[in-house]
């Protein structure tokens, strides 16, 4: 029960395959009470059903992370339900399909802006608006990917957005550290999800990882969730501004 008595907000559940949902289940297993956001009416039903499957009542709030007013409303709602929170899970990313199909050099201004707004700035906006309701020792995590630092063909603008996200994690960790709030990233290996389906050649990425990763397999979503729980829990109290790789070791291999 690593998160016994802790309350947290999970942003990024789309369906039962979402990494955010795996983290929510693991956090619930460890005793946490959870609130969720959903991106819009389209996802309301599936997130409501998933949240209900945890038993008890988990407050739900609509929140498109590109909309500051909706972020504020969601945080106000969390405050009304929970008072304060002990953790925040950011598992949100988006890029237009065409930006992930062609060469990176063809990236449009609009596509670049949108990918960085949804996938990178959203962490800053959420941390900023949630700062007043974080308890002392609170923990923020964001999901990232190795394409932030090495070229993964066709990951394109999403790699640039993840690089910005990882830098934002460090800057937020520095600022919020004064309030004893920790901020870390979980860099997950490829996992079959809705968002992953938008990346051209995703199946090949999984095959390559399986053949080259030290553990000779792809990571399981539950392993990503367990690492996330570690970073959300007091067991990681001395760690902030870090990126934790949960990728069967793929990132350490040069060739
Ligand atoms: P997912 O289930 O599709 O989750 C992505 C979430 O982002 C969805 O809930 C999506 O909602 C949400 N989102 C997109 N635009 C949004 C917006 N404007 N406002 C609010 N929410 C928005 O896929 P996932 O793979 O679990 O992704 C979760 C995180 O893990 C992402 O940051 C992703 O980059 C990261 N990650 C994934 C992998 C992988 O291989 N799957 C590996 C490393 C890191 P909609 O469905 O409505 O767009």
């Amino acid at each position: 029960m690593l998160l016994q008595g802790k309350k947290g907000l999970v942003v990024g559940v789309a369906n039962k395959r979402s990494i955010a949902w795996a983290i929510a289940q693991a956090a619930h297993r460890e005793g946490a009470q959870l609130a969720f956001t959903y991106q819009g009416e389209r996802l309301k039903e599936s997130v409501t059903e998933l949240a209900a499957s945890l038993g008890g009542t988990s407050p739900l709030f609509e929140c498109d992370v590109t909309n500051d007013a909706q972020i504020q409303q969601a945080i106000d709602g969390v405050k009304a339900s929970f008072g304060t929170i002990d953790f925040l899970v950011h598992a949100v990313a988006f890029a237009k399909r065409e930006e992930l199909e062609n060469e990176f050099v063809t990236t449009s201004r609009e596509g670049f802006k949108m990918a960085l707004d949804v996938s990178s700035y959203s962490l800053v906006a959420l941390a900023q608006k949630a700062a007043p309701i974080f308890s002392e020792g609170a923990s923020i995590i964001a999901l990232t990917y190795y394409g932030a630092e090495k070229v993964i063909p066709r990951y394109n603008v999403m790699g640039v957005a993840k690089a910005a996200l990882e830098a934002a994690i460090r800057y937020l960790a520095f600022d919020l550290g004064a309030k004893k709030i920790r901020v870390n990233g979980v860099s997950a290996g490829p996992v079959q999800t809705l968002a992953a389906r938008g990346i051209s050649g995703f199946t090949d990425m999984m095959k390559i990882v399986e053949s080259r990763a030290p553990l000779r397999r792809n990571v399981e979503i539950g392993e990503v969730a367990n690492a996330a729980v570690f970073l959300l829990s007091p067991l990681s109290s001395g760690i902030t501004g870090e990126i934790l790789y949960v990728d069967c070791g793929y990132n350490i291999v040069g060739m």
Side-chain angles (χ1 to χ4, degrees), residues 12 14 18-19 39 42-43 64-65 91-92 143-144 162 188 190-191 193 195:
S18 296
I19 294 175
Q39 196 221 353
R42 188 172 51 86
L43 290 182
D64 180 325
V65 296
V92 171
L143 269 295
T144 184
K162 291 301 191 192
V191 177
T193 63

Side-chain angles (χ1 to χ4, degrees), residues 114-179:
M114 183 181 278
L116 270 88
D117 190 12
V118 176
S119 319
S120 321
Y121 180 71
S122 58
L123 178 68
V124 182
L126 279 161
Q128 186 186 98
K129 303 239 185 304
I133 66 163
F134 278 126
S135 63
E136 194 173 303
S139 174
I140 301 175
I141 62 156
L143 269 295
T144 184
Y145 178 60
Y146 190 50
E149 51 186 295
K150 299 287 181 199
V151 172
I152 306 289
R154 304 293 174 258
Y155 198 63
N156 293 357
V157 71
M158 191 50 78
V160 177
K162 291 301 191 192
L165 179 74
E166 293 185 6
I169 286 169
R170 291 185 283 274
Y171 278 88
L172 288 170
F174 182 79
D175 285 357
L176 300 179
K179 294 183 178 164

Side-chain angles (χ1 to χ4, degrees), residues 146-231:
Y146 190 50
E149 51 186 295
K150 299 287 181 199
V151 172
I152 306 289
R154 304 293 174 258
Y155 198 63
N156 293 357
V157 71
M158 191 50 78
V160 177
K162 291 301 191 192
L165 179 74
E166 293 185 6
I169 286 169
R170 291 185 283 274
Y171 278 88
L172 288 170
F174 182 79
D175 285 357
L176 300 179
K179 294 183 178 164
K180 313 269 183 280
I181 299 168
R182 299 183 294 114
V183 190
N184 290 291
V186 173
S187 185
V191 177
Q192 285 282 7
T193 63
L194 192 64
R197 266 195 248 146
I199 300 161
S200 320
F202 186 78
T203 315
D204 292 338
M205 278 163 75
M206 292 196 82
K207 283 191 196 139
I208 291 168
V209 170
E210 198 177 321
S211 66
R212 300 202 191 143
L215 295 182
R216 307 294 194 277
R217 64 174 176 85
N218 279 284
V219 73
E220 286 174 20
I221 196 166
E223 296 174 311
V224 177
N226 283 340
V229 163
F230 162 70
L231 287 176

Side-chain angles (χ1 to χ4, degrees), residues 1-4 6 29-32 226 229-230 232-235:
M1 298 298 264
L2 288 172
L3 299 175
Q4 183 71 51
K6 306 274 185 203
R29 177 194 75 210
E30 298 297 330
N226 283 340
V229 163
F230 162 70
L232 296 176
S233 82
L235 282 187

